[in-house]
């Protein structure tokens, strides 16, 4: 196989697809909007009654973020990652890189795996996604030459598997709750408990303990300790996620969206080339299905007074709601990209998107210094709605800093490092230096 | 199709292997750090109370020898 090594260079600025960068910038901000709940509050990412407040503005914040952003931002991030990896591979193969293309592709993912581990265990973000992206990225390689129609079908099959698993979990949880209530009844009547009922009762007590104010206070105090104590405290949680998530969630949740991303890219949907009417219909259909589903989920959870089982039940339609809203977001963002309005904002968002890895890690570094004992130790100190001020401040900072950085440098610092490691070659970073060399 | 499946399962096996190895390495490092931390705490505590740690270990060894 012929390999032209000389032409194997990273994508130049002029070749980049602006709409994808803008979308990546928007999605990165949406990711922070959701992640901040896990970064600053104990066990409150899903259930607002555990910590962070569940009344007034805190409740409105929970409703709004769950209606529009929960799961949808992760879906779009995965979608863009899939498209991005396909663009890289496609470009290298078109240049006749041959087997070298696969070499660069897999090396890129292996380094991402390492970045993910550092991000989770040392920068201390347990909701870290790079590790999962790396593993799912490996699988994406096989699907690169597949027709968009087939990719969409496989993505839907994967999503359906996830939904079926959620349903199976709900059935199991419903049985468990039933056993708990039988155990309580038996106990009040003085009847002996069977082994199954005893196990259910112990598990329920453990669950209640995890959600208790005492457990939250303990969690908060552990997060407020000095850096190495927090590392030790979070390591078992990270190990647990590393073991469980790859087969329980990542294949259905992440891989499906990556494949959808490649399909959308091949169909020229992500490059804003389709007519206005297409994106308008996409947004309308996506929001109609997605927001309706999300509304019923949220209304049900609130009606059930945030019961543990209500979260499990609404998980059955979770993927339907989030993927549909995500498709709605794609339509809306592409309409925004096609329009001529707010060009300065688009430019800034595009810069944020170009430096997505740096900005993503920066979120965790900022959170590390604000919330853990390595910095101010403010974990658990803010209410849910107050966290929005921090999120907005970070958005503004990155909207200003990213275009300024890219004015002087070709890549974000981490993007530069990642490229150098992937291509095993030092690329110029400073724009001035590159110009001088030329 | 045959080529696709062959490639897919080969990569799938690699992904599973990488996941398992990574998780095991992390667990190993985690356990190792816990051990080092225990040892460190033990030594620091001994130093704080002013007892010579090494002497105490030798004393314990001698006591065990006598007990045996």
């Amino acid at each position: 196989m012929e390999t032209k090594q000389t032409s194997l260079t990273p994508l130049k600025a002029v070749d980049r697809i602006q709409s994808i960068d803008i979308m990546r910038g928007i999605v990165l901000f949406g990711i922070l909007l959701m992640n901040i709940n896990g970064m600053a509050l104990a066990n409150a990412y899903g259930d607002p009654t555990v910590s962070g407040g569940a009344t007034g503005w805190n409740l409105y914040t929970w409703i709004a973020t769950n209606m529009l952003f929960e799961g949808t931002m992760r879906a779009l991030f995965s979608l863009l990652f899939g498209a991005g990896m396909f663009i890289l591979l496609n470009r290298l193969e078109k240049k006749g890189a041959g087997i070298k293309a696969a070499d660069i592709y897999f090396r890129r993912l292996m380094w991402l795996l390492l970045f993910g581990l550092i991000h989770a265990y040392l920068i201390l973000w347990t909701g870290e996604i790079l590790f999962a992206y790396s593993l799912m990225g490996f699988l994406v390689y096989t699907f690169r030459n597949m027709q968009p129609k087939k990719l969409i079908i496989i993505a839907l099959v994967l999503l359906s598997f996830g939904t079926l698993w959620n349903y199976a979990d709900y059935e199991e949880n419903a049985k468990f709750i039933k056993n708990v209530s039988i155990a309580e009844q038996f106990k009040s009547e003085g009847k002996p408990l069977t082994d199954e009922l005893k196990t259910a009762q112990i598990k329920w007590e453990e669950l209640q303990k995890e959600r208790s104010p005492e457990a939250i206070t303990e969690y908060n105090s552990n997060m407020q300790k000095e850096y190495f104590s927090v590392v030790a405290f979070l390591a078992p949680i990270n190990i647990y996620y590393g073991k469980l998530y790859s087969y329980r969630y990542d294949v259905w949740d992440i891989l499906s969206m990556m494949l959808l991303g490649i399909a959308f890219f091949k169909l020229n949907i992500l490059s804003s080339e389709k007519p206005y009417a297409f994106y308008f219909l996409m947004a309308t259909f996506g929001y109609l299905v997605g927001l309706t589903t999300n509304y019923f989920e949220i209304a049900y959870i609130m009606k059930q007074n945030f019961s543990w089982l209500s979260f499990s039940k609404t998980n059955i339609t979770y993927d339907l709601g989030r993927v549909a809203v995500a498709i709605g977001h794609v339509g809306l963002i592409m309409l925004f990209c096609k329009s001529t309005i707010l060009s300065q904002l688009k430019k800034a968002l595009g810069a944020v998107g170009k430096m997505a890895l740096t900005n993503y890690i920066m979120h965790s570094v900022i959170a590390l210094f604000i919330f853990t004992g390595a910095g101010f130790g403010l974990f658990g100190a803010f209410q849910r709605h107050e966290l929005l001020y921090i999120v907005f401040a970070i958005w503004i900072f990155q909207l200003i800093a990213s275009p300024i950085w890219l004015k002087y440098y070709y890549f974000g610092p981490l993007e530069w490092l990642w490229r150098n490691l992937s291509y095993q070659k030092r690329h110029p970073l400073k724009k001035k230096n590159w110009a001088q060399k030329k | 199709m045959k080529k696709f499946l062959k490639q897919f399962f080969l990569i799938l096996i690699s992904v599973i292997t990488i996941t398992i190895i990574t998780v095991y390495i992390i667990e190993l490092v985690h356990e190792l750090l816990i051990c080092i931390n225990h040892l460190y705490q033990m030594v620091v505590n001994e130093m704080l109370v002013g007892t010579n740690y090494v002497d105490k270990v030798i004393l314990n060894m001698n006591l065990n020898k006598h007990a045996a």
Side-chain angles (χ1 to χ4, degrees):
Chain A
M1 199 176 283
E2 198 190 346
T3 302
K4 294 175 194 169
Q5 272 189 314
T6 47
S7 60
L8 303 183
T9 51
L11 203 62
K12 285 176 188 166
V14 284
D15 299 328
R16 293 190 71 104
I17 300 162
Q18 183 69 0
S19 58
I20 291 185
D21 283 335
I22 294 171
M23 191 167 154
R24 196 179 282 122
I26 295 170
V27 170
L28 195 79
F29 284 168
I31 289 269
L32 177 65
L33 197 62
M34 293 314 302
N35 281 357
I36 198 86
N37 299 310
M39 288 167 166
L41 300 168
N43 300 332
Y45 186 87
D47 187 349
T49 59
V50 181
S51 61
T55 52
W57 279 107
N58 295 320
L59 180 66
Y60 303 144
T61 307
W62 180 81
I63 293 171
T65 51
N66 275 271
M67 277 288 279
L68 292 162
F69 303 109
E70 167 48 26
T72 66
M73 291 295 124
R74 191 175 65 249
L76 292 180
F77 213 40
S78 310
L79 189 132
L80 289 169
F81 186 88
M85 290 312 277
F86 171 75
I87 293 168
L88 169 95
L89 206 53
N90 191 39
R91 197 175 54 83
L92 289 172
E93 282 180 346
K94 270 185 184 167
K95 281 186 174 180
I99 199 72
K100 187 79 184 161
D103 186 30
I104 292 169
Y105 181 87
F106 287 114
R107 198 181 304 118
R108 200 169 167 79
L109 290 172
M110 283 307 284
W111 281 112
L112 192 69
L113 190 98
L114 188 71
F115 287 171
L117 290 174
I118 294 169
H119 190 206
Y121 290 90
L122 298 178
I123 306 180
L124 305 175
W125 172 220
T126 51
E128 198 287 317
I129 205 139
L130 303 176
F131 181 78
Y133 276 10
S134 162
L135 293 175
M136 293 306 112
F138 277 97
L139 295 173
V140 162
Y141 181 82
T142 338
F143 298 91
R144 68 195 185 284
N145 294 326
M146 209 170 253
Q147 293 299 308
K149 200 179 160 184
K150 279 186 185 170
L151 284 168
I152 292 170
I153 291 169
I154 293 171
L156 290 176
V157 170
L158 288 174
L159 283 165
S160 307
F161 263 109
T163 302
L164 274 174
W165 203 326
N166 288 343
Y167 178 73
D169 274 356
Y170 166 69
E171 285 289 313
E172 202 179 305
N173 291 337
K175 196 183 164 196
F176 161 66
I177 291 294
K178 203 178 167 189
N179 280 342
V180 170
S181 64
I182 294 170
E184 274 169 14
Q185 197 191 331
F186 274 28
K187 232 176 150 186
S188 65
E189 289 168 4
K191 288 181 186 172
L193 298 181
T194 61
D195 283 348
E196 197 187 4
L197 293 179
K198 268 183 199 166
T199 315
Q201 204 187 23
I202 291 166
K203 194 183 160 191
W204 179 245
E205 279 166 8
E206 276 171 11
L207 274 171
Q208 292 303 102
K209 207 177 156 189
E210 266 174 33
R211 294 154 58 101
S212 68
E214 294 79 28
I216 298 304
T217 310
E218 198 189 332
Y219 195 109
N220 290 347
S221 97
N222 277 321
M223 291 297 289
Q224 288 159 2
K225 285 178 185 166
E226 48 90 31
Y227 176 72
F228 285 106
S229 299
V230 186
V231 172
F233 173 65
L234 292 179
I237 300 171
N238 276 316
I239 291 172
Y240 172 75
Y241 287 152
K243 274 182 185 172
L244 174 77
Y245 274 42
S246 35
Y247 67 92
R248 174 60 187 93
Y249 297 106
D250 297 349
V251 182
W252 330 114
D253 185 307
I254 293 172
L255 181 63
S256 58
M257 293 312 296
M258 284 183 179
L259 298 182
L260 212 57
I262 299 174
F264 278 15
F265 180 77
K266 285 184 173 181
L267 292 168
N268 297 326
I269 293 172
L270 298 179
S271 46
S272 66
E273 287 172 47
K274 296 276 178 193
Y276 277 99
F278 177 86
Y279 292 120
F280 182 76
L281 274 174
M282 201 172 168
T284 311
F285 172 76
Y287 287 141
L288 203 68
V289 176
L291 293 179
T292 310
T293 311
N294 288 356
Y295 170 78
F296 280 109
E297 282 176 8
I298 290 166
Y300 180 77
I301 290 170
M302 287 171 69
K303 202 179 163 191
Q304 296 293 314
N305 208 16
F306 298 94
S307 77
W308 184 76
L309 195 60
S310 68
F311 284 98
S312 181
K313 191 170 185 176
T314 52
N315 256 351
I316 300 169
T317 51
Y318 177 69
D319 282 328
L320 175 69
R322 80 184 182 96
V323 174
V325 173
I327 287 170
H329 286 336
V330 173
L332 193 66
I333 294 168
M334 288 304 133
L335 280 174
F336 173 61
C337 291
K338 276 181 88 73
S339 70
T340 49
I341 57 161
L342 302 167
S343 57
Q344 280 305 311
L345 180 66
K346 274 190 233 172
K347 210 175 152 189
L349 283 167
V352 173
K354 273 179 203 163
M355 294 175 57
L357 182 64
T358 303
N359 284 327
Y360 176 64
I361 299 287
M362 195 194 290
H363 293 166
S364 308
V365 174
I366 293 171
L368 179 80
F369 282 106
I370 296 178
F371 303 118
T372 73
F376 299 109
L378 290 169
F379 194 90
F382 294 100
Q383 292 182 46
R384 192 172 288 264
H385 79 273
E386 287 170 339
L387 292 173
L388 294 181
Y389 308 137
I390 297 171
V391 170
F392 295 151
I394 297 172
W395 285 3
I396 292 166
F397 172 73
Q398 291 190 334
L399 276 173
I400 296 167
S402 300
I404 294 173
W405 177 274
L406 289 176
K407 198 175 168 188
Y408 299 101
Y409 299 98
Y410 284 106
F411 317 105
L414 284 179
E415 284 75 13
W416 176 74
L417 178 69
W418 195 20
R419 276 163 200 261
N420 287 348
L421 293 168
S422 308
Y423 289 84
Q424 291 183 314
K425 193 175 133 190
R426 195 185 158 93
H427 293 96
L429 179 63
K430 271 187 185 176
K431 283 190 173 173
K432 203 179 161 188
N433 282 359
W434 204 345
Q436 277 171 351
K437 274 182 188 175
K438 277 185 175 178
Chain B
M1 191 64 184
K2 202 179 165 188
K3 193 188 165 194
F4 169 81
L5 286 173
K6 197 178 158 189
Q7 200 175 57
F8 176 75
F9 282 109
L10 204 70
I11 292 176
L12 185 66
I13 290 164
S14 311
V15 168
I16 293 167
T17 314
I18 291 169
T19 313
I20 292 168
I21 290 172
T22 312
V23 170
Y24 271 91
I25 289 173
I26 294 286
E27 275 196 329
L28 203 72
V29 172
H30 185 231
E31 293 298 321
L32 197 71
L33 288 175
I34 289 171
C35 289
I36 293 169
N37 187 43
H38 277 306
L39 198 68
Y40 171 75
Q41 293 296 335
M42 213 161 75
V43 174
V44 167
N45 287 340
E46 293 294 336
M47 282 166 76
L48 281 176
V49 293
T51 321
N52 191 318
Y53 178 72
V54 181
D55 284 353
K56 207 172 176 183
V57 171
I58 293 166
L59 181 73
N60 277 339
M61 280 166 71
N62 286 335
L63 285 173
N64 288 340
K65 210 160 81 180
H66 285 299

